[in-house]
Amino acid sequence: MEFNDSLLIKHTDDLKLPATGTVHRQQMTLHCHQCNAVLADSTGVCGEMKSMDSLMCIRVTNDVVISDKMESGHKGEMTNCIYSSLKCRGCRCALGKVIHSAPSRLALIRSIFLLYKANINCYILNSSSLVKASTLTFDQKPLRESMNEVRQQFEAQLEQMSRIKNRLVDISVTSNMVN
């Protein structure tokens, strides 16, 4: 990764990721593949819409412009949807869509920013590497799975605290018997 002032002049496409290329809780910024404008960061990514080859984001930067014109989808995944196109403020590159109205099968992605993976680069912070979003998967763990992990951690901590409490009680009883 090389910069000249604030302009990116070289990037790496050969980032070594886990075998599956899956990104979980990886800190990164999302950039326009043409002009490198910052579009979003990993805290706003809420998943991936594989059928549309798009990232799902709950928020984007001001460099993502939402078209005033609403369009209607007539084929494929966008059938019966009303949406606006997303463009890069810097280079006017097509970035994706935001769906305003959709059939119930797409209810989860209404008002979510869908960024085309093909037009996005990801700057991975901990490795200082810029890679194409299309080389990564952004699967999110189901909430129930995350909640189960947290519950198990709390139960383990409770058990550890209970053992410590019992040891303290035993020490207290032993010390009272000696006195």
Side-chain angles (χ1 to χ4, degrees), residues 14-54:
D14 59 350
L15 176 66
K16 303 296 185 242
L17 290 173
T20 62
T22 300
V23 179
H24 285 293
R25 298 184 188 117
Q26 187 77 263
Q27 298 295 313
M28 68 178 74
T29 53
L30 307 178
H31 298 260
C32 172
H33 80 293
Q34 284 189 342
C35 70
N36 291 310
V38 177
L39 308 172
D41 62 37
S42 55
T43 62
V45 174
C46 58
E48 180 174 349
M49 189 71 175
K50 291 183 181 181
S51 61
M52 294 182 190
D53 198 30
S54 298

Side-chain angles (χ1 to χ4, degrees), residues 4-144:
N4 180 0
D5 293 326
S6 64
L7 297 175
L8 178 70
I9 56 175
K10 181 180 174 189
H11 71 83
T12 306
D13 284 329
D14 59 350
L15 176 66
K16 303 296 185 242
L17 290 173
T20 62
T22 300
V23 179
H24 285 293
R25 298 184 188 117
Q26 187 77 263
Q27 298 295 313
M28 68 178 74
T29 53
L30 307 178
H31 298 260
C32 172
H33 80 293
Q34 284 189 342
C35 70
N36 291 310
V38 177
L39 308 172
D41 62 37
S42 55
T43 62
V45 174
C46 58
E48 180 174 349
M49 189 71 175
K50 291 183 181 181
S51 61
M52 294 182 190
D53 198 30
S54 298
L55 294 176
M56 297 170 20
C57 295
I58 55 174
R59 65 181 168 270
V60 293
T61 69
N62 291 335
D63 286 328
V64 177
V65 177
I66 303 171
S67 170
D68 291 332
K69 179 183 172 190
M70 290 196 188
E71 301 175 48
S72 179
H74 299 290
K75 60 182 178 181
E77 195 72 30
M78 298 298 290
T79 301
N80 299 322
C81 293
I82 296 174
Y83 61 91
S84 294
S85 297
L86 302 175
K87 294 189 186 238
C88 176
R89 184 176 304 280
C91 66
R92 308 303 294 164
C93 170
L95 294 175
K97 297 175 174 36
V98 61
I99 297 175
H100 304 291
S101 177
S104 59
R105 65 184 166 77
L106 296 175
L108 291 175
I109 60 171
R110 287 183 199 136
S111 301
I112 298 286
F113 298 97
L114 300 172
L115 300 177
Y116 301 137
K117 287 176 70 174
N119 295 353
I120 307 294
N121 288 327
C122 301
Y123 180 72
I124 315 272
L125 296 176
N126 65 349
S127 65
S128 301
S129 300
L130 191 69
V131 297
K132 295 176 183 172
S134 58
T135 64
L136 304 174
T137 56
F138 293 81
D139 294 332
Q140 299 290 317
K141 285 184 178 180
L143 184 57
R144 180 178 304 277

